[in-house]
PDB file of all heavy atoms in Angstrom:
ATOM      1  N   ASN A 295      37.066   3.199 -59.843  1.00 81.00           N
ATOM      2  CA  ASN A 295      36.406   2.984 -58.560  1.00 81.00           C
ATOM      3  C   ASN A 295      36.037   1.511 -58.324  1.00 81.00           C
ATOM      4  O   ASN A 295      34.916   1.156 -57.919  1.00 81.00           O
ATOM      5  CB  ASN A 295      35.142   3.868 -58.491  1.00 81.00           C
ATOM      6  CG  ASN A 295      34.631   3.995 -57.079  1.00 81.00           C
ATOM      7  OD1 ASN A 295      35.391   3.926 -56.122  1.00 81.00           O
ATOM      8  ND2 ASN A 295      33.342   4.210 -56.917  1.00 81.00           N
ATOM      9  N   ALA A 353      25.070  -1.127 -52.723  1.00 73.00           N
ATOM     10  CA  ALA A 353      23.970  -0.252 -52.416  1.00 73.00           C
ATOM     11  C   ALA A 353      22.704  -1.054 -51.978  1.00 73.00           C
ATOM     12  O   ALA A 353      21.980  -0.695 -51.095  1.00 73.00           O
ATOM     13  CB  ALA A 353      23.611   0.632 -53.594  1.00 73.00           C
ATOM     14  N   ILE A 385      -3.621   0.016 -15.192  1.00 79.00           N
ATOM     15  CA  ILE A 385      -3.579   1.381 -14.741  1.00 79.00           C
ATOM     16  C   ILE A 385      -4.911   2.116 -14.992  1.00 79.00           C
ATOM     17  O   ILE A 385      -5.461   2.828 -14.172  1.00 79.00           O
ATOM     18  CB  ILE A 385      -2.407   2.159 -15.381  1.00 79.00           C
ATOM     19  CG1 ILE A 385      -1.049   1.566 -14.827  1.00 79.00           C
ATOM     20  CG2 ILE A 385      -2.523   3.626 -15.095  1.00 79.00           C
ATOM     21  CD1 ILE A 385       0.135   2.105 -15.540  1.00 79.00           C
ATOM     22  N   THR A 401     -17.750   0.840  -1.641  1.00 75.00           N
ATOM     23  CA  THR A 401     -18.071  -0.555  -1.509  1.00 75.00           C
ATOM     24  C   THR A 401     -17.295  -1.434  -2.472  1.00 75.00           C
ATOM     25  O   THR A 401     -17.052  -2.599  -2.192  1.00 75.00           O
ATOM     26  CB  THR A 401     -19.556  -0.779  -1.753  1.00 75.00           C
ATOM     27  OG1 THR A 401     -19.939  -0.276  -3.058  1.00 75.00           O
ATOM     28  CG2 THR A 401     -20.403   0.037  -0.641  1.00 75.00           C
ATOM     29  N   ALA A 420      -2.868  -2.090  -3.540  1.00 78.00           N
ATOM     30  CA  ALA A 420      -3.104  -2.506  -2.134  1.00 78.00           C
ATOM     31  C   ALA A 420      -3.247  -1.280  -1.253  1.00 78.00           C
ATOM     32  O   ALA A 420      -4.083  -1.276  -0.348  1.00 78.00           O
ATOM     33  CB  ALA A 420      -1.953  -3.446  -1.657  1.00 78.00           C
ATOM     34  N   TYR A 464     -45.479  20.512  40.021  1.00 78.00           N
ATOM     35  CA  TYR A 464     -45.276  20.956  41.377  1.00 78.00           C
ATOM     36  C   TYR A 464     -45.312  22.494  41.503  1.00 78.00           C
ATOM     37  O   TYR A 464     -45.859  23.030  42.434  1.00 78.00           O
ATOM     38  CB  TYR A 464     -43.953  20.419  41.943  1.00 78.00           C
ATOM     39  CG  TYR A 464     -43.924  18.886  42.030  1.00 78.00           C
ATOM     40  CD1 TYR A 464     -42.761  18.182  41.743  1.00 78.00           C
ATOM     41  CD2 TYR A 464     -45.038  18.240  42.476  1.00 78.00           C
ATOM     42  CE1 TYR A 464     -42.717  16.811  41.817  1.00 78.00           C
ATOM     43  CE2 TYR A 464     -44.986  16.812  42.564  1.00 78.00           C
ATOM     44  CZ  TYR A 464     -43.845  16.081  42.241  1.00 78.00           C
ATOM     45  OH  TYR A 464     -43.815  14.768  42.380  1.00 78.00           O
ATOM     46  N   LYS A 493     -30.622  19.078  36.423  1.00 75.00           N
ATOM     47  CA  LYS A 493     -29.196  19.545  36.415  1.00 75.00           C
ATOM     48  C   LYS A 493     -28.198  18.350  36.239  1.00 75.00           C
ATOM     49  O   LYS A 493     -27.227  18.499  35.502  1.00 75.00           O
ATOM     50  CB  LYS A 493     -28.899  20.236  37.748  1.00 75.00           C
ATOM     51  CG  LYS A 493     -27.427  20.822  37.852  1.00 75.00           C
ATOM     52  CD  LYS A 493     -27.205  21.527  39.148  1.00 75.00           C
ATOM     53  CE  LYS A 493     -25.810  22.037  39.201  1.00 75.00           C
ATOM     54  NZ  LYS A 493     -24.770  21.018  39.024  1.00 75.00           N
ATOM     55  N   THR A 540     -23.651  -0.387  52.940  1.00 90.00           N
ATOM     56  CA  THR A 540     -22.600  -1.287  53.455  1.00 90.00           C
ATOM     57  C   THR A 540     -21.675  -1.714  52.329  1.00 90.00           C
ATOM     58  O   THR A 540     -22.103  -2.081  51.302  1.00 90.00           O
ATOM     59  CB  THR A 540     -23.231  -2.577  54.099  1.00 90.00           C
ATOM     60  OG1 THR A 540     -24.164  -2.134  55.067  1.00 90.00           O
ATOM     61  CG2 THR A 540     -22.209  -3.463  54.686  1.00 90.00           C
ATOM     62  N   LEU A 546     -10.667  -6.883  48.001  1.00 84.00           N
ATOM     63  CA  LEU A 546      -9.771  -5.780  47.498  1.00 84.00           C
ATOM     64  C   LEU A 546      -8.337  -6.126  47.866  1.00 84.00           C
ATOM     65  O   LEU A 546      -7.896  -5.949  48.999  1.00 84.00           O
ATOM     66  CB  LEU A 546     -10.219  -4.479  48.185  1.00 84.00           C
ATOM     67  CG  LEU A 546      -9.635  -3.180  47.556  1.00 84.00           C
ATOM     68  CD1 LEU A 546     -10.114  -3.041  46.133  1.00 84.00           C
ATOM     69  CD2 LEU A 546     -10.043  -1.987  48.418  1.00 84.00           C
ATOM     70  N   VAL A 553       0.238   1.216  36.743  1.00 88.00           N
ATOM     71  CA  VAL A 553      -0.836   1.692  35.884  1.00 88.00           C
ATOM     72  C   VAL A 553      -0.552   3.156  35.472  1.00 88.00           C
ATOM     73  O   VAL A 553       0.113   3.870  36.231  1.00 88.00           O
ATOM     74  CB  VAL A 553      -2.239   1.619  36.495  1.00 88.00           C
ATOM     75  CG1 VAL A 553      -2.682   0.147  36.672  1.00 88.00           C
ATOM     76  CG2 VAL A 553      -2.283   2.309  37.802  1.00 88.00           C
ATOM     77  N   ALA A 575     -29.106   1.873  43.840  1.00 87.00           N
ATOM     78  CA  ALA A 575     -28.701   0.720  44.629  1.00 87.00           C
ATOM     79  C   ALA A 575     -29.662   0.430  45.841  1.00 87.00           C
ATOM     80  O   ALA A 575     -30.246   1.398  46.398  1.00 87.00           O
ATOM     81  CB  ALA A 575     -27.275   0.881  45.191  1.00 87.00           C
ATOM     82  N   LYS A 577     -30.128  -0.353  49.536  1.00 87.00           N
ATOM     83  CA  LYS A 577     -29.288  -0.204  50.762  1.00 87.00           C
ATOM     84  C   LYS A 577     -29.339  -1.428  51.651  1.00 87.00           C
ATOM     85  O   LYS A 577     -28.436  -1.589  52.511  1.00 87.00           O
ATOM     86  CB  LYS A 577     -29.786   1.042  51.559  1.00 87.00           C
ATOM     87  CG  LYS A 577     -29.485   2.365  50.930  1.00 87.00           C
ATOM     88  CD  LYS A 577     -29.865   3.524  51.822  1.00 87.00           C
ATOM     89  CE  LYS A 577     -29.462   4.840  51.198  1.00 87.00           C
ATOM     90  NZ  LYS A 577     -29.856   5.979  52.086  1.00 87.00           N
ATOM     91  N   LEU A 607       4.402 -10.602  38.271  1.00 50.00           N
ATOM     92  CA  LEU A 607       2.971 -10.390  38.147  1.00 50.00           C
ATOM     93  C   LEU A 607       2.494 -10.755  36.757  1.00 50.00           C
ATOM     94  O   LEU A 607       2.883 -10.044  35.779  1.00 50.00           O
ATOM     95  CB  LEU A 607       2.577  -8.966  38.539  1.00 50.00           C
ATOM     96  CG  LEU A 607       1.065  -8.658  38.417  1.00 50.00           C
ATOM     97  CD1 LEU A 607       0.273  -9.510  39.378  1.00 50.00           C
ATOM     98  CD2 LEU A 607       0.802  -7.196  38.641  1.00 50.00           C
ATOM     99  N   TYR A 611      -4.373  -6.718  32.694  1.00 87.00           N
ATOM    100  CA  TYR A 611      -5.317  -5.708  33.129  1.00 87.00           C
ATOM    101  C   TYR A 611      -5.591  -5.826  34.644  1.00 87.00           C
ATOM    102  O   TYR A 611      -5.554  -6.937  35.246  1.00 87.00           O
ATOM    103  CB  TYR A 611      -6.674  -5.840  32.446  1.00 87.00           C
ATOM    104  CG  TYR A 611      -6.681  -5.494  30.969  1.00 87.00           C
ATOM    105  CD1 TYR A 611      -6.538  -6.476  30.004  1.00 87.00           C
ATOM    106  CD2 TYR A 611      -6.735  -4.151  30.588  1.00 87.00           C
ATOM    107  CE1 TYR A 611      -6.534  -6.119  28.649  1.00 87.00           C
ATOM    108  CE2 TYR A 611      -6.714  -3.795  29.256  1.00 87.00           C
ATOM    109  CZ  TYR A 611      -6.600  -4.795  28.296  1.00 87.00           C
ATOM    110  OH  TYR A 611      -6.575  -4.445  26.978  1.00 87.00           O
ATOM    111  N   PHE A 616     -17.541  -3.079  40.779  1.00 92.00           N
ATOM    112  CA  PHE A 616     -18.510  -2.604  41.773  1.00 92.00           C
ATOM    113  C   PHE A 616     -19.822  -3.316  41.517  1.00 92.00           C
ATOM    114  O   PHE A 616     -20.398  -3.214  40.491  1.00 92.00           O
ATOM    115  CB  PHE A 616     -18.706  -1.077  41.725  1.00 92.00           C
ATOM    116  CG  PHE A 616     -17.452  -0.279  41.773  1.00 92.00           C
ATOM    117  CD1 PHE A 616     -16.656  -0.126  40.618  1.00 92.00           C
ATOM    118  CD2 PHE A 616     -16.988   0.236  42.954  1.00 92.00           C
ATOM    119  CE1 PHE A 616     -15.492   0.643  40.744  1.00 92.00           C
ATOM    120  CE2 PHE A 616     -15.844   0.915  43.085  1.00 92.00           C
ATOM    121  CZ  PHE A 616     -15.045   1.187  41.935  1.00 92.00           C
ATOM    122  N   VAL A 622     -34.998  -0.872  42.566  1.00 71.00           N
ATOM    123  CA  VAL A 622     -36.242  -1.076  41.713  1.00 71.00           C
ATOM    124  C   VAL A 622     -35.826  -1.968  40.564  1.00 71.00           C
ATOM    125  O   VAL A 622     -35.090  -1.497  39.704  1.00 71.00           O
ATOM    126  CB  VAL A 622     -36.811   0.229  41.282  1.00 71.00           C
ATOM    127  CG1 VAL A 622     -38.084   0.036  40.478  1.00 71.00           C
ATOM    128  CG2 VAL A 622     -37.130   1.191  42.519  1.00 71.00           C
TER     129      VAL A 622
END
Side-chain angles (χ1 to χ4, degrees):
N295 197 27
I385 292 173
T401 58
Y464 295 141
K493 181 180 182 301
T540 302
L546 194 62
V553 292
K577 289 186 178 181
L607 178 63
Y611 290 100
F616 305 84
V622 180

